[in-house]
Amino acid sequence: MSAVLILVDHVGGVVPRSVGELATFGKRIGEVTAVICSSQSAALIPQLSSFAINTVIVCDGVEFEKYSVGATAQGLSQVVAKVNPTAVLITSSARGKEIAGRLAVRCDSGLITDAIDIDSTLTATQSVFGGSTTVHSLVGHGTPIVTLRSNSIEVEVGSGTPTVENFSVTFDGADKAVVTSVEPAVKGGRPELTEASIVVSGGRGTDGNFAPVEELADILGAAVGASRAATDAGWYPHSHQVGQTGKTVSPQLYVASGISGAIQHRAGMQTSKTIVAINKDPEAPIFDVADFGVVGDLFAVLPQASAALKEIQ
Amino acid sequence: MKIAVCVKQVPDSWAEKKMGSDGLLDRAGVDAVLNDLDEYAVEEALKIVEANSPTNEAGEGSGHTITVISMGPERASEAVRKALSMGADDAIVITDPALVGSDALATSAVLAAAIRDGGYDLVICGTESTDARMSVVPAMLAERLGFAQLTFAGSVMVNGATISIARQTEFGVEQMSAPLPVVLSVVEKINEPRYPSFKGIMAAKKKIIAIKTLSDIGVSVQSAWSGVKDSAVRPPRGAGIKIVDEGDGGKKLVAFLQERRIV
Ligand SMILES: Cc1cc2nc3c(=O)[nH]c(=O)nc-3n(C[C@H](O)[C@H](O)[C@H](O)COP(=O)(O)OP(=O)(O)OC[C@H]3O[C@@H](n4cnc5c(N)ncnc54)[C@H](O)[C@@H]3O)c2cc1C
Ligand SMILES: Nc1ncnc2c1ncn2[C@@H]1O[C@H](COP(=O)(O)O)[C@@H](O)[C@H]1O
């Protein structure tokens, strides 16, 4: 069986769940070969043992951290040239998509981004126009490169430890952009936004007081999101922004409180399975996409919901 | 400095979009505008020129030029005109029947050829086109041109021939720097795009928009490396339930979640 490559990206040495999703998708297509481009491979390899991965190819080098996107695309393209895989799967993060883009140029191969599914015929499914249209696409040239949104599939547990191989990358200095310092996004105790099955978000309506939003989130084991109005005001970090210029989330449940539902916000949450909205304004456009809307004050509705949930738990 | 700003004309964000029978976005029925995220790229170019000009006046005599480059149908000139009225100097629109249905690989190949032709040392892009939503063209341009990639910039510092940025992504903030030539993309938090002034609008009418075909820039590309097999409009969300809080809104909300077996 031929190989399908998946890229192991990591955040501060931690392999995210999305890599397990790539492995699960990859298994449908071929033998899953995970590629690590990092100087921290020793810490990353053990974290891969629970996923459905057959082989791990380790490209070691400080260049990957120093030159970021350009270096990783370069390393990956050399692995592609050697392995000649059926497809390359990468997580649809900002960084993942950029690596995929540069890889596509290097390999003269077609690229599909933001897929939510891929089958054994390499047909990728995308959800476009705010979730109103489902599209099936195929790469027609070269080695198909597909980026997949996280939270798209249940992660399958693997059996057995993967074989580890080393691969030496030749750097040609293609990208001269140097990373001089990194300030990782602060990780609270809550789940990651794009991976959470429930997201509770607050907007301008919170007036800067996210306490009722966080309380409900914690009872539900949810991630906290925010509208741009809230991140712009400095009430919540930018990394929590949901929307066109923030993150795209597609949880089982999305709770929008004090958010009007501007098109740019909806672009990031409209494909959520169930949407609940709390807003004082009965005319707020968020109600157009809500399965359940409460016209009311979030400072009354959220605490009451939290209390009711505590009672039934 | 010779700056190129890449801008795209896109369907209005508020317009309802659908797929045509040819598997391409149906652009005929919707208003076309300048991709709003590209306005930040134009603004940043103007700010860089203003901050690095002895006269502190955009353009005139500063030795810096800003050229707007767009690939698209001929009517993309309308969107380009807006960038000119904000203060850019001139523009190039690359349009060709062979480019219909172009994907990011084709777009970046064409833009790269035009940029190479013009000998620019700084290319500024938005982070995303609101129709394609791929966020890959800037990275592809860097790869094709062999320029340094400084993308998702939340702030930009120009120090002679070195550019430094704070890169903002879901992973956090990375400080990066690189020597020119550079491809820069800017996030929407970086600045507040100016509104074209009356004077700017009048001046833009006289600015040159060079319309070029593929043979003019000496490239031939396939239009797409991947394509749509089929598409289907999802049934719209059924009308939801909407209640007015009468003191029990929170409880009713929880009852709904229980009914849906979410809690
Ligand atoms: C280029 C660009 C990119 C953008 N990207 C994004 C993005 O990624 N994400 C994003 O979210 N936005 C984005 N926006 C901004 C977007 O257009 C809206 O301005 C923003 O989403 C508004 O945030 P909001 O809903 O919190 O605020 P508002 O629109 O001000 O809405 C606040 C809502 O709270 C309600 N409210 C007030 N008090 C209460 C209360 N006590 N109880 C209940 N309800 C209350 C009000 O009725 C109102 O509906 C972008 C805009 C541009 C131009
Ligand atoms: N057809 C185009 N013409 C000019 N610039 C473009 C074009 N398509 C994309 N770009 C630039 O690349 C950025 C990212 O676009 P995308 O990768 O399509 O999301 C945009 O914000 C523009 O700056």
Side-chain angles (χ1 to χ4, degrees):
Chain A
M1 200 153 72
S2 53
V4 51
L5 295 188
I6 65 167
L7 177 66
V8 178
D9 229 352
H10 65 98
V11 187
V14 178
V15 175
R17 201 187 84 108
S18 56
V19 173
E21 294 189 44
L22 295 181
T24 309
F25 281 121
K27 216 178 131 197
R28 298 171 170 176
I29 303 163
E31 293 268 329
V32 179
T33 302
V35 183
I36 297 179
C37 291
S38 169
S39 62
Q40 298 176 36
S41 57
L44 303 175
I45 296 167
Q47 298 176 52
L48 298 178
S49 60
S50 62
F51 300 144
I53 294 170
N54 304 92
T55 312
V56 180
I57 294 182
V58 176
C59 304
D60 189 62
V62 287
E63 286 86 352
F64 296 116
E65 275 82 22
K66 189 171 171 200
Y67 297 106
S68 192
V69 172
T72 305
Q74 202 173 126
L76 208 48
S77 73
Q78 291 173 24
V79 176
V80 168
K82 181 183 166 231
V83 175
N84 192 20
T86 321
V88 182
L89 308 183
I90 297 175
T91 303
S92 250
S93 57
R95 178 180 146 80
K97 290 204 280 187
E98 290 192 329
I99 292 169
R102 296 190 70 141
L103 181 67
V105 171
R106 280 190 175 254
C107 303
D108 191 29
S109 292
L111 166 69
I112 294 171
T113 59
D114 294 296
I116 52 171
D117 197 12
I118 183 166
D119 66 16
S120 59
T121 68
L122 300 177
T123 300
T125 307
Q126 290 160 296
S127 174
V128 301
F129 309 151
S132 67
T133 305
T134 302
V135 174
H136 292 118
S137 303
L138 268 176
V139 166
H141 195 276
T143 307
I145 301 167
V146 178
T147 75
L148 286 137
R149 280 206 187 140
S150 45
N151 225 358
S152 294
I153 196 172
E154 211 57 59
V155 175
E156 249 177 67
V157 180
S159 52
T161 318
T163 332
V164 178
E165 291 169 20
N166 288 307
F167 182 87
S168 146
V169 174
T170 321
F171 293 99
D172 61 14
D175 187 6
K176 295 185 178 56
V178 180
V179 178
T180 49
S181 77
V182 184
E183 199 186 302
V186 268
K187 270 225 172 253
R190 301 195 179 89
E192 221 293 305
L193 248 190
T194 52
E195 294 180 358
S197 59
I198 302 180
V199 174
V200 183
S201 287
R204 200 191 314 273
T206 63
D207 203 17
N209 179 3
F210 263 66
V213 174
E214 291 181 332
E215 187 194 15
L216 180 63
D218 289 341
I219 292 170
L220 291 168
V224 173
S227 71
R228 180 173 166 198
T231 59
D232 270 358
W235 300 338
Y236 237 74
H238 176 65
S239 55
H240 289 257
Q241 183 174 314
V242 171
Q244 190 201 333
T245 49
K247 288 181 180 169
T248 302
V249 300
S250 199
Q252 293 300 322
L253 171 65
Y254 188 87
V255 182
S257 36
I259 293 177
S260 61
I263 195 111
Q264 293 93 347
H265 186 79
R266 284 174 11 194
M269 47 67 75
Q270 212 154 10
T271 55
S272 306
K273 312 297 172 297
T274 300
I275 297 172
V276 169
I278 301 109
N279 196 306
K280 277 208 289 212
D281 173 11
E283 303 297 323
I286 192 74
F287 288 126
D288 297 345
V289 295
D291 300 286
F292 190 83
V294 183
V295 180
D297 187 342
L298 71 92
F299 291 103
V301 177
L302 290 184
Q304 188 180 64
S306 294
L309 281 167
K310 266 190 214 143
E311 245 168 63
I312 59 170
Q313 272 175 359
Chain B
M1 209 161 14
K2 270 192 92 172
I3 303 177
V5 182
C6 296
V7 307
K8 187 177 184 186
Q9 188 185 45
V10 297
D12 190 351
S13 308
W14 284 102
E16 197 167 307
K17 293 170 212 161
K18 43 181 209 310
M19 290 298 235
S21 52
D22 52 1
L24 301 175
L25 173 63
D26 179 2
R27 290 173 196 272
V30 292
D31 280 344
V33 297
L34 171 60
N35 178 30
D36 52 10
L37 295 176
D38 294 345
E39 290 182 22
Y40 300 86
V42 176
E43 177 65 33
E44 201 56 28
L46 294 168
K47 284 178 78 174
I48 289 173
V49 167
E50 284 162 4
N52 292 280
S53 305
T55 54
N56 235 16
E57 279 266 321
E60 253 92 309
S62 68
H64 303 297
T65 55
I66 302 173
T67 301
V68 176
I69 303 182
S70 187
M71 185 196 104
E74 223 176 311
R75 80 178 224 216
S77 312
E78 299 160 21
V80 160
R81 193 74 72 183
K82 173 154 190 203
L84 292 176
S85 63
M86 287 172 72
D89 299 297
D90 55 10
I92 299 169
V93 172
I94 306 135
T95 185
D96 200 292
L99 289 171
V100 173
S102 290
D103 62 7
L105 281 149
T107 304
S108 62
V110 170
L111 292 175
I115 291 163
R116 234 182 255 119
D117 238 17
Y120 301 96
D121 27 34
L122 178 60
V123 178
I124 311 184
C125 296
T127 40
E128 183 178 288
S129 54
T130 52
D131 54 349
R133 298 206 60 194
M134 289 181 78
S135 291
V136 293
V137 167
M140 285 180 169
L141 282 176
E143 183 69 50
R144 290 195 186 279
L145 294 162
F147 286 17
Q149 177 191 332
L150 294 176
T151 47
F152 287 89
S155 65
V156 176
M157 269 243 314
V158 180
N159 193 346
T162 303
I163 311 243
S164 307
I165 66 157
R167 171 178 165 90
Q168 281 186 3
T169 67
E170 56 262 73
F171 295 107
V173 181
E174 291 163 305
Q175 303 296 330
M176 298 185 71
S177 75
L180 292 174
V182 161
V183 175
L184 180 70
S185 85
V186 298
V187 304
E188 96 292 355
K189 295 207 186 265
I190 196 166
N191 58 39
E192 205 43 68
R194 65 196 67 185
Y195 286 103
S197 63
F198 180 70
K199 200 175 138 212
I201 293 168
M202 294 315 286
K205 295 195 170 161
K206 294 195 210 83
K207 290 177 180 170
I208 293 163
I209 301 180
I211 308 278
K212 296 191 177 180
T213 62
L214 281 185
S215 66
D216 291 336
I217 56 167
V219 287
S220 67
V221 290
Q222 59 191 105
S223 70
W225 275 249
S226 58
V228 169
K229 213 166 78 174
D230 56 67
S231 71
V233 175
R234 268 211 223 151
R237 279 178 178 275
I241 306 161
K242 189 157 118 189
I243 62 157
V244 175
D245 181 28
E246 282 161 348
D248 57 356
K251 286 185 189 143
K252 284 192 172 150
L253 197 167
V254 172
F256 168 80
L257 296 181
Q258 281 181 299
E259 209 176 283
R260 286 269 175 124
R261 300 186 182 286
I262 293 170
V263 295

